[in-house]
Amino acid sequence: MSESPELVIQVSTQGAVRILTLNRPTALNAFTAAMLASTREALAEAAADSSVRAVVITGAGRAFSAGQDLGDPLVKPDPSPGAAPKDIGHLLDGYYIPLALQLRAMPVPTIAAVNGVAAGAGANFALGCDLVIAGESASFIQAFSKIGLIPDCGGTWLLPRLVGRAKAMQLALLGDKVKAAEAVSIGLIARCVPDADLMSEAMATAQKLAAMPSRALAETRRLIDQAMDQDFEDALRVEAMMQSQLGFAHDYSEGVQAFMDKRSPQFKDR
Ligand code: LHQ
């Protein structure tokens, strides 16, 4: 039975928070090309809607995402003799790279609420979000080496930055499963919470971020990622340039005025 594209990603909104739910639970929310396209569309809609000030991404059922759907004809090798091997790089060029770049360029913070196993590209899609909060039964697996591939969807870039070279090598080479609590202790993710509290904790964090100055948060996210490849002085100069720009914006005046007035600020820039 073919799946309806709009149903493989469920989209809902609570206040200023857009919630995207990966929704192919019988295949552990593995990504097909249609689902990757729907995810991109849902992120683009969230980015274009100025009432959205934070995005939460989670999975339906017992998994966050098992990564690429290995049964998808686009990637499944044809075992018949003489069949031409498939160029799976096309799927990265056409879907995963644009998705990873889009996630990073979102004008508002993204939170992965990891409700279960996150494997392969599913793990790295979660790790590409700005904050990762996992339920205690969730786990992360760099499944790639088990099928003769390298970590994609940003994995080779993200892993050493998150956990350092030694752990990155362990996770990527051995494909070891890391449970949520260990993922916090090695710095792979930000928080682990009881399963029952996952969505309420993710939503509370999203709502907190939604009330903050989105543009300053967007520049903070960008500068932190960029700083990994800069020397100290370059980072200082880029900070100064960005601070100068933000100083002209509404949210800075509002933040300072609210502090002086001893009231809550009403941020609106994006
Ligand atoms: C699945 C999948 C799956 C389809 C579970 N596909 N059905 C980019 C570009 C091009 C090519 C290739 O890849 C990439 C990026 C990548 O993401 S590569 C990595 C792809 N992912 C994997 O290799 C992970 C494969 N899955 C697993 O290792 C396990 O299923 C995990 C550890 C995720 C969960 O294990 P269990 O909890 O024991 O569940 P299970 O294995 O029994 O799976 C449940 C069902 O989901 C089962 O179907 P069935 O009909 O038997 O109930 C699986 O076949 C299906 N499923 N992952 N990626």
Side-chain angles (χ1 to χ4, degrees):
M1 198 175 71
S2 74
E3 292 162 326
S4 168
E6 62 275 16
L7 293 183
V8 292
I9 302 293
Q10 276 176 351
V11 179
S12 63
T13 306
Q14 273 183 40
V17 181
R18 181 65 50 87
I19 304 151
L20 310 186
T21 305
L22 309 173
N23 188 34
R24 296 187 68 231
T26 53
L28 304 187
N29 305 318
F31 285 110
T32 56
M35 183 161 155
L36 289 163
S38 297
T39 309
R40 291 204 58 209
E41 210 170 296
L43 283 174
E45 278 168 15
D49 184 340
S50 60
S51 70
V52 173
R53 297 179 61 85
V55 174
V56 170
I57 303 172
T58 191
R62 72 176 178 92
F64 177 79
S65 169
Q68 170 62 37
D69 187 319
L70 298 174
D72 190 316
L74 285 173
V75 301
K76 192 171 169 217
D78 182 346
S80 44
K86 299 201 163 116
D87 183 356
I88 56 175
H90 286 320
L91 203 64
L92 296 177
D93 291 336
Y95 292 93
Y96 284 100
I97 292 176
L99 176 62
L101 293 174
Q102 187 180 6
L103 189 64
R104 229 166 133 70
M106 285 295 284
V108 296
T110 54
I111 299 174
V114 181
N115 53 301
V117 65
N124 294 338
F125 178 55
L127 298 177
C129 291
D130 299 312
L131 285 175
V132 187
I133 305 177
E136 61 199 345
S137 67
S139 55
F140 298 82
I141 309 174
Q142 295 292 318
F144 305 90
S145 61
K146 295 185 178 166
I147 56 168
L149 297 179
I150 51 106
D152 60 25
C153 206
T156 58
W157 190 93
L158 285 164
L159 288 172
R161 284 170 167 80
L162 290 169
V163 296
R165 183 179 186 272
K167 277 284 169 192
M169 287 293 185
Q170 182 192 352
L171 300 184
L173 298 179
L174 298 173
D176 283 350
K177 179 193 274 193
V178 181
K179 291 190 157 179
E182 190 194 346
V184 174
S185 71
I186 63 174
L188 189 67
I189 66 169
R191 282 180 72 199
C192 166
V193 298
D195 288 333
D197 300 341
L198 176 62
M199 280 316 283
S200 57
E201 289 289 336
M203 287 304 293
T205 306
Q207 273 148 5
K208 191 171 174 182
L209 290 168
M212 294 177 72
S214 297
R215 194 173 150 207
L217 298 186
E219 296 302 347
T220 302
R221 289 155 50 219
R222 197 169 65 79
L223 264 52
I224 282 181
D225 283 337
Q226 177 178 307
M228 299 286 190
D229 300 316
Q230 276 170 338
D231 68 24
F232 186 57
E233 186 171 350
D234 284 347
L236 288 171
R237 305 225 178 271
V238 173
E239 284 171 6
M241 189 190 68
M242 185 50 59
Q243 214 67 301
S244 156
Q245 287 182 25
L246 290 171
F248 292 120
H250 163 274
D251 281 355
Y252 173 65
S253 311
E254 169 62 9
V256 174
Q257 196 56 53
F259 175 78
M260 296 297 182
D261 298 347
K262 300 191 188 305
R263 62 174 171 82
S264 296
Q266 296 294 314
F267 293 120
K268 66 179 178 87
D269 291 339
R270 246 190 45 159

